[in-house]
Amino acid sequence: MNINSVFYIFILFPIFSFSQQKTKKGTVITEYGQTYSVTNPDFKTNIQQDLKVVFDIGRTFGDSTKVNPLINTAARYLNMHVDAGVPEKKLKVAMVIHGSAAFDILTDAEYASKYNIDNPNTLLISDLAKKGVQIILCGQTAAYYNISKKDILPEIQIALSAMTALVQLQNNNYRLINF
């Protein structure tokens, strides 16, 4: 074995072993938001403080048959923090939907008229809302795409704009996560 082989073993083994870890189902949103275990992290999670977050979700992805991974991130956020010991009541989550992501919150009937299938995000959005996640649609996006209140899932609130909702939530100490 030469020095290069040894180097690659020591460098790549930790990366390879981490990538082989299995995801685990969530305990809050059980069908979505799979996470990985992180044992003994150096940066400790403060389980005493409120963790208030607003996800800025402004795009969708090319495959209309799959859940929008940005919406799924809200489920991951809940699942991983509860798993890390944060009480569920300490987690405050909001999502502000705008741009092409607006199509991911359509009712099954509206989604089917556009993509010929039921909305794969419906159950996830319902589960998130049941756990207190605020889901807010930009009114400007809704107007631009001619989306009315009857076209979107019942859990969705419409705001004047995404900008308005983001500012108001941040004024209430929600921290912005933008992808």
Side-chain angles (χ1 to χ4, degrees):
M1 187 179 289
N2 65 30
I3 191 72
N4 286 337
S5 298
V6 172
F7 172 77
Y8 287 120
I9 289 171
F10 283 109
I11 297 300
L12 295 178
F13 181 75
I15 295 169
F16 178 74
S17 65
F18 180 75
S19 68
Q20 297 301 307
Q21 291 185 9
K22 299 212 188 276
T23 58
K24 59 183 181 171
K25 288 182 86 169
T27 56
V28 179
I29 307 291
T30 58
E31 298 302 313
Y32 301 95
Q34 293 181 335
T35 63
Y36 294 94
S37 292
V38 178
T39 54
N40 199 24
D42 298 319
F43 187 90
K44 302 297 182 193
T45 302
N46 182 342
I47 63 171
Q48 302 304 318
Q49 108 188 84
D50 287 342
L51 297 176
K52 297 169 78 172
V53 64
V54 54
F55 292 97
D56 180 3
I57 302 174
R59 62 189 168 107
T60 193
F61 296 80
D63 190 346
S64 61
T65 65
K66 294 185 179 173
V67 164
N68 183 325
L70 300 177
I71 296 172
N72 190 51
T73 296
R76 284 185 31 242
Y77 184 86
L78 290 168
N79 288 336
M80 79 172 128
H81 285 97
V82 167
D83 188 49
V86 177
E88 195 174 329
K89 68 181 182 197
K90 295 268 187 196
L91 299 170
K92 311 289 188 239
V93 179
M95 296 186 303
V96 176
I97 310 289
H98 59 96
S100 62
F103 300 120
D104 293 329
I105 59 170
L106 294 174
T107 63
D108 284 342
E110 285 298 315
Y111 199 87
S113 73
K114 186 168 180 57
Y115 300 110
N116 296 317
I117 59 169
D118 284 346
N119 186 343
N121 299 286
T122 299
L123 181 58
L124 172 57
I125 287 168
S126 175
D127 287 351
L128 288 167
K130 287 176 188 170
K131 291 299 181 177
V133 174
Q134 286 184 278
I135 307 162
I136 304 160
L137 173 61
C138 170
Q140 301 302 301
T141 294
Y144 179 80
Y145 287 121
N146 200 28
I147 296 172
S148 69
K149 186 75 172 162
K150 70 175 180 44
D151 299 330
I152 59 176
L153 295 166
E155 298 87 355
I156 311 302
Q157 301 172 335
I158 298 178
L160 174 62
S161 70
M163 295 177 286
T164 305
L166 289 167
V167 167
Q168 285 182 207
L169 286 161
Q170 289 177 86
N171 285 345
N172 289 321
N173 295 319
Y174 280 73
R175 301 299 182 235
L176 177 65
I177 296 180
N178 187 343
F179 299 97

